[in-house]
Amino acid sequence: MTYWEALYTLHTHFCLSDRRNPKWQANNAGRYLYYVLAVFVCVYMGWAGAEMADLVASSDIGGYRFIYALLPLLLFFDYFFRYASDNRRLMQVRPYLLLPLPGNIYADYLIVRQLTDFKNTFFLFLCIPFGLKTVVPESGLGAMAGYTVGLYLLLLVNGQFFQITQVLIAHRVYYWLLPTAVYLSAAATIFFFPTPRSYVDSFGFIGNALMTWNLWVYTALFSLLFLLSDLNRRVLQWQIRHEQYLTPAAVYRKEAPLPLTFFERFHLLGEYFKLETRSILRNKRLRYIFIADTAFIILYALSTCFGIGVGNGENHFFLFYCFTIYGIAFLTRIMSVEGNYFECLLMQRNSLYTLLLAKYYFYAALLLLPVLLLLPAAILGTISPWTIIAYALYTAGVCYRILFQMAVYNKVAQPLNTVHTGKRSGTPYLLSVVPFLVLFSPFPVIALGSWWLGRPLLTHTVLSLLGCSFIFTHRRWIGRICGKMKERQYEQIEGFRISR
C-alpha cells in the first residue's frame, strides 16, 4: 500500500467509525436541531461582522484595519473554541500500529485532518462580511481575496499550535503555560504603542501587506505553518509511541480515599453524596471541568466587583451562566457514568429514585458557591441581591428539571476514568441543544419584565415563583422521571452495554 492509499484508507475508516458509533443515531431529531443551531450561529456571526463594519465606518477607527487590530483576541477565542469542540483521535490509531503501513502515516493523517477541518473557517463567518463592507469599497475584490486568504492562513497556523499544545497538555498540565504565555504576549503588544491609533495603524500595515499579496509576508506565513506542522508531527509521533508502547513502572501504594464522614449523617443519601463527590475528584476530566467552571465564576465575580461589564444585556447572560455552569457541565450527561453499573441500580428497589434525589440535592447545594462568590458584588451594589436569589431559585427549579429529564434519554455510558487523551465519549445531538435551551429559557421573562416593561422586580418575582414551583415539587417530578426510566429500562440497558 502506497503512502497516499494508506492516507485515504485511514480517512475512510475514521469516517466509517464515526457513522457506526452508536451515538450517531442516538437522537435523530436532536441531530437536525443541532444542524439548525450551527446554521444559526454562522448566520449570527455574519450579522455581527456586518454590524461591526457599520460601527467601524461610523466611528472612524481605522476601517478594515480594525479587524487586524483584533487579531490577538480573535485567535485567542479561536483557540478556546477548538478546545471545546475538537476531539483527539490518538487512541483510534492503536489497531493500525500493527499493520505494515508507513511509519509516519498516523501523525500525517491527524495533521491533514486538522488542516482540512471545517472549524478552521468558523471565524471567517465574522471576518468576511466585515471585509465585504470595508475592504471591497475601498480596495476592490483582489484585496478582498488577499484579506480572506491571509486570515485563513492565520487560522491554520492557530490550529496547528492548538493541536501541539493539546497533546502536550494531555501529557502534563503545566504545558498550559505555553498558550497562556503566547496569547498574553500577543495581547500585551498594545502597551508598546503610545496611542490606540498607532496600534491599529501598525497592525493595519501587516494587513495591507496581506491584501496586496506581499511575497515576503506570505513566505513568512507559509514557513511558520510548515514549521508548526513539522513540530506537530514530531510531537504526535512521540505521544503515539509514549501512549501505545511505553508502560510506566507499576507503583504499588495504597492511597487512602477521602473519608467524607460528613455525609454519613444523611444515611443512604450520604452514600450517594460520597459517590458523586469521589466521581468528580478521581476522574481527571471531570475534575478539570469543575476547576475551570469554578475559576470562571471567580473571575466573573471579581470583574463584577469592579463594575466591569455591568449594566448591559450580556451581563444577564454571564450572571445566569454562573449558576447553570455546574448543571450544564455535569447534569447534561446525567446517568452516563452510572450507565457502567445501571443493571445493579435496577436490582435494588428505589435505588434510582435515591440516586437522582441525591444528585438534585448535591447540585442544588453547589449553587451556594456562586451565591457566596457574588455576594461581595451585591454588597458593593453592582448587582442586585434579588437578581442573585431569583437566578439561583430558577436554576434549582426550572433548569434542573430540564437537565434531569435527560436521565430518560441518555443511553450512552461514559467511561469511569475518561481522560483527555482518549476518544471523547460522544453524545446524542439532543445533548448539544439542551444547554442552549437551559441558558436561554429565562430570557423571555427578562426581556418582557426588565427590558420592555422596565420592572426588574416583576422579573425577579416571576423567575423566583417558577423556580420555587419546581423546587417544592422536586420529589414528585423525580419520581416521574424514575417511572419513565423503568418503562425504557431495556432500551437503556442495551444502549449502555453497546457503548461500554
Side-chain angles (χ1 to χ4, degrees), residues 77 82 122 124 126 141 146 194 289 297 377-378 390 393 412 431 445:
F77 282 123
R82 294 172 186 273
F122 179 71
L124 291 182
L126 173 72
L141 293 177
I289 291 174
I297 299 173
L393 292 176
V412 176
L431 301 190
V445 179

Side-chain angles (χ1 to χ4, degrees), residues 46-64:
W47 173 82
E51 290 296 317
M52 187 169 62
D54 294 335
L55 178 64
V56 169
S58 61
S59 57
D60 191 24
I61 53 177
Y64 65 83

